[in-house]
Amino acid sequence: MSRRRQTGLIAIAAALVLGACSTGGEGVPGASADATGGGAEQEAHQVDIEAVLDGMSTEQRVGQLLMPTVPGTTAEEAAPLVEQYHLGGVIYFPENLADAEQIAEMSSGLQEAGRAASAGAPLLLGVDQEQGLVARLGSIVTEFPDAMAIGATGSTDDAATLGRITGTELRALGINTDFVPVGDVNVNPDNPVIGIRSFGADPEAVSAMVAAEVGAFRQAGVATSVKHFPGHGDTATDSHTGLPVIETGRADWEATDLPPFRAAIEAGTDMVMVGHLSMPALDDSGDPATLSEPIVTGVLREELGFEGVVVTDALNMEAVRESHGDGEVAVRALEAGVDLLLMPPDLDLAYNALLTAVEEERISSERLEESVRRVLELKARLGLFPEQAAESGADAPAEIRSQESLAAAQGVADRSVTLLRNDEVDGAPVLPAAEGATVHVSGSGAETLAAALGESGVEVVTEGPAGADLAVVGTNGARGDAEQRAAVAALVDTGTPVVAVAVGTPYDVAALPGIAGYLATYSGQEVSLRAAARVITGEVAPSGRLPVAVPAGDGPEFAIGDGLGY
């Protein structure tokens, strides 16, 4: 049977139905599975993908490869772009997101516009909801700590909990695509763009977390897009502002960066996001991976056997705009093997550049069909076609931020807190704080941390640290911030025992001499600050373990797996 007819008729269950991308190739066994949200059995429906594809004009096919931002908080404001360019998808940002009811209504209206504009094809409605630092929905949904905090728990169940709850809430809002998980292995403490967005520095541990999260999102009926292939964890350059060059050799890349992406593919990730970074070991042209045929087609497609949707990182980032104009970037990405173009900075320019490339046969009709078919297959696996699934209804927002979900997120945060220093003061460890102790709080997250400490039973004083039993200071990147280090040193000079709470990466501990205690939360989320307070007061015993190594600075070196308890 031909590839065209094999994929022409896809049977999937209605509602929250997903199927793993078929994979093959060396070291990546072929896999295909269906999962229904909540495990519910649904009547199977069929979508004739080839009939949908054959019913599309060239303009509609080109539009299916575009996923830009849109204006406004209503379908009426955003629909004109969907209709004019026959969009394949839309990515939401905070300016589109007011509350649960509004999002559900906008999503439903946009789906109607998308089907009308694109021969019945629905929209991918996506968002960057990694949780923690990158969480576009904020407190509209249940908030979890960052990925590195999940890594510190050492529990794939916690990764799955995040994926299950986040995915279920997104789907209730009509959002069917989340650009997660981060598969980057953060081996560079100076990484300016990944850091706590990564599960850690151990490839095996990161791989396990990535696979667990992918599986949980699949169960919830939300597409995942592991990122940023071929790996953004060993860079000191932010690809939003410049092109990172990863000097890792092929063997080291295969040992460190590749495993989480392989694990995501094996777990059935629907998409792989290609990063704007140059890796000479895989392609010595100097092009970013986004525009690299050797990386996208050669490595990702042919070597790893990935047959799902390949999506670019945001095309408005400077790293991919340094060598080519925005229209040319869109064409070159498709030539490289990419299927979906995320956030082109000039939608009209990208759309017309692709149309011209097709008309001039720079991009063949077969190549265009290949990518459109993959996008349509993904939409069918998600159960988005009208003959497959009911959309989120008026009752959907009631599923958001349940007490059970909020408690689950707090439990994850509690388990992530890592105690790395606990020196003795007057013959006893500084933590947990003695009952009735007075505590002065300052630094990053101080207001939330102080409120949480007060709720946990200590007296928070505001007149200054000198008269307090304990000085708690939040840090965030103090390793590279002289002002923060000076503030901590001033606290130490008062003679009050100082406990630092790192709400970002944990590397600060080696740059803060004189402190008596050090906790890492790996996140500035309210649940993480509350978890730190619970550990400080002894309500919760610290159980987190370092998911990264901390190089020596003015203090000791720490290894992956380090952590103290009570």
Side-chain angles (χ1 to χ4, degrees):
M1 184 182 293
S2 69
R3 161 72 176 160
R4 179 180 175 90
R5 294 316 305 163
Q6 280 179 320
T7 60
L9 202 61
I10 295 180
I12 74 172
L16 309 183
V17 181
L18 284 168
C21 301
S22 296
T23 57
E26 184 178 351
V28 185
S32 181
D34 285 336
T36 56
E41 294 295 329
Q42 302 280 351
E43 180 186 355
H45 291 274
Q46 294 178 334
V47 177
D48 191 335
I49 294 300
E50 295 306 325
V52 177
L53 184 58
D54 290 345
M56 285 183 165
S57 65
T58 299
E59 290 79 6
Q60 289 171 323
R61 293 179 180 187
V62 167
Q64 287 299 293
L65 309 185
L66 298 168
M67 193 170 188
T69 59
V70 293
T73 55
T74 66
E76 289 73 20
E77 292 171 282
L81 280 182
V82 173
E83 294 161 354
Q84 180 179 353
Y85 296 103
H86 315 286
L87 296 179
V90 163
I91 181 170
Y92 287 143
F93 272 80
E95 52 266 33
N96 306 122
L97 310 169
D99 56 54
E101 290 78 10
Q102 169 267 321
I103 297 167
E105 184 176 348
M106 183 175 182
S107 297
S108 179
L110 284 180
Q111 286 293 9
E112 291 182 14
R115 289 192 295 266
S118 301
L123 287 169
L124 295 176
L125 294 177
V127 71
D128 269 320
Q129 188 69 15
E130 296 172 13
Q131 292 288 7
L133 190 65
V134 179
R136 309 303 186 194
L137 286 144
S139 60
I140 295 172
V141 296
T142 301
E143 296 174 282
F144 281 81
D146 293 82
M148 193 172 284
I150 312 299
T153 71
S155 170
T156 54
D157 286 346
D158 284 338
T161 294
L162 182 152
R164 173 180 56 82
I165 291 174
T166 303
T168 298
E169 294 187 346
L170 292 182
R171 190 69 191 235
L173 298 174
I175 298 172
N176 53 54
T177 302
D178 196 357
F179 292 100
V180 294
V182 173
D184 304 312
V185 181
N186 198 77
V187 294
N188 187 342
D190 296 319
N191 194 320
V193 65
I194 303 301
I196 56 175
R197 297 169 63 195
S198 165
F199 287 110
D202 177 69
E204 184 177 352
V206 172
S207 297
M209 295 293 181
V210 162
E213 191 168 298
V214 166
F217 272 100
R218 280 170 44 81
Q219 283 293 115
V222 171
T224 57
S225 176
V226 64
K227 57 189 182 185
H228 309 78
F229 188 82
H232 214 318
D234 187 13
T235 176
T237 302
D238 185 345
S239 51
H240 291 85
T241 59
L243 179 64
V245 178
I246 312 296
E247 300 291 355
T248 305
R250 173 80 193 220
D252 288 341
W253 172 75
E254 289 183 354
T256 301
D257 298 283
L258 175 59
F261 294 99
R262 190 187 296 276
I265 292 171
E266 291 175 345
T269 188
D270 299 280
M271 297 193 283
V272 174
M273 178 183 286
V274 183
H276 305 319
L277 48 96
S278 172
M279 187 173 286
L282 302 182
D283 178 4
D284 62 6
S285 70
D287 283 337
T290 329
L291 310 182
S292 168
E293 185 175 6
I295 292 176
V296 177
T297 298
V299 177
L300 183 55
R301 293 286 191 209
E302 296 173 359
E303 292 185 32
L304 298 180
F306 181 64
E307 295 183 4
V309 172
V310 176
V311 60
T312 68
D313 202 347
L315 292 178
N316 61 359
M317 295 165 62
E318 289 304 314
V320 75
R321 305 176 74 191
E322 290 184 350
S323 301
H324 309 288
D326 293 332
E328 180 69 8
V329 163
V331 175
R332 286 180 178 246
L334 201 64
E335 288 179 324
V338 167
D339 303 303
L340 191 60
L341 308 182
L342 185 65
M343 296 171 60
D346 187 325
L347 178 59
D348 188 73
L349 184 63
Y351 176 75
N352 283 293
L354 290 172
L355 275 179
T356 299
V358 172
E359 291 166 358
E360 295 177 351
E361 299 185 349
R362 179 178 172 184
I363 295 174
S364 69
S365 58
E366 291 79 14
R367 173 68 191 90
L368 177 62
E369 283 188 7
E370 182 182 298
S371 284
V372 176
R373 185 178 290 111
R374 288 195 188 102
V375 172
L376 294 176
E377 288 173 354
L378 170 55
K379 293 174 180 182
R381 284 194 296 273
L382 290 170
L384 300 180
F385 283 85
E387 62 265 41
Q388 292 179 301
E391 297 176 45
S392 59
D395 294 334
E399 301 180 32
I400 308 301
R401 288 179 63 86
S402 69
Q403 289 303 309
E404 180 184 5
S405 295
L406 295 173
Q410 187 61 62
V412 170
D414 288 349
R415 290 186 288 276
S416 72
V417 179
T418 306
L419 178 62
L420 291 177
R421 288 193 65 169
N422 195 16
D423 296 348
E424 288 194 356
V425 175
D426 296 330
V430 69
L431 294 177
E435 185 176 352
T438 56
V439 180
H440 179 269
V441 185
S442 62
S444 185
E447 184 176 348
T448 301
L449 189 54
L453 281 166
E455 292 171 2
S456 294
V458 301
E459 181 184 351
V460 177
V461 297
T462 58
E463 59 269 18
D469 296 314
L470 192 67
V472 174
V473 55
T475 69
N476 190 352
R479 181 173 178 268
D481 187 339
E483 186 175 344
Q484 285 190 66
R485 295 196 302 274
V488 174
L491 287 173
V492 171
D493 287 344
T494 67
T496 298
V498 175
V499 172
V501 178
V503 303
T505 58
Y507 307 113
D508 294 356
V509 64
L512 302 174
I515 58 174
Y518 185 89
L519 293 171
T521 66
Y522 316 96
S523 182
Q525 292 292 93
E526 183 177 347
V527 288
S528 294
L529 295 172
R530 188 180 301 117
R534 289 152 67 99
V535 169
I536 288 170
T537 61
E539 184 178 348
V540 168
S543 60
R545 296 295 180 263
L546 268 179
V548 297
V550 176
D554 295 327
E557 184 176 357
F558 293 89
I560 293 175
D562 281 354
L564 305 173
Y566 292 159

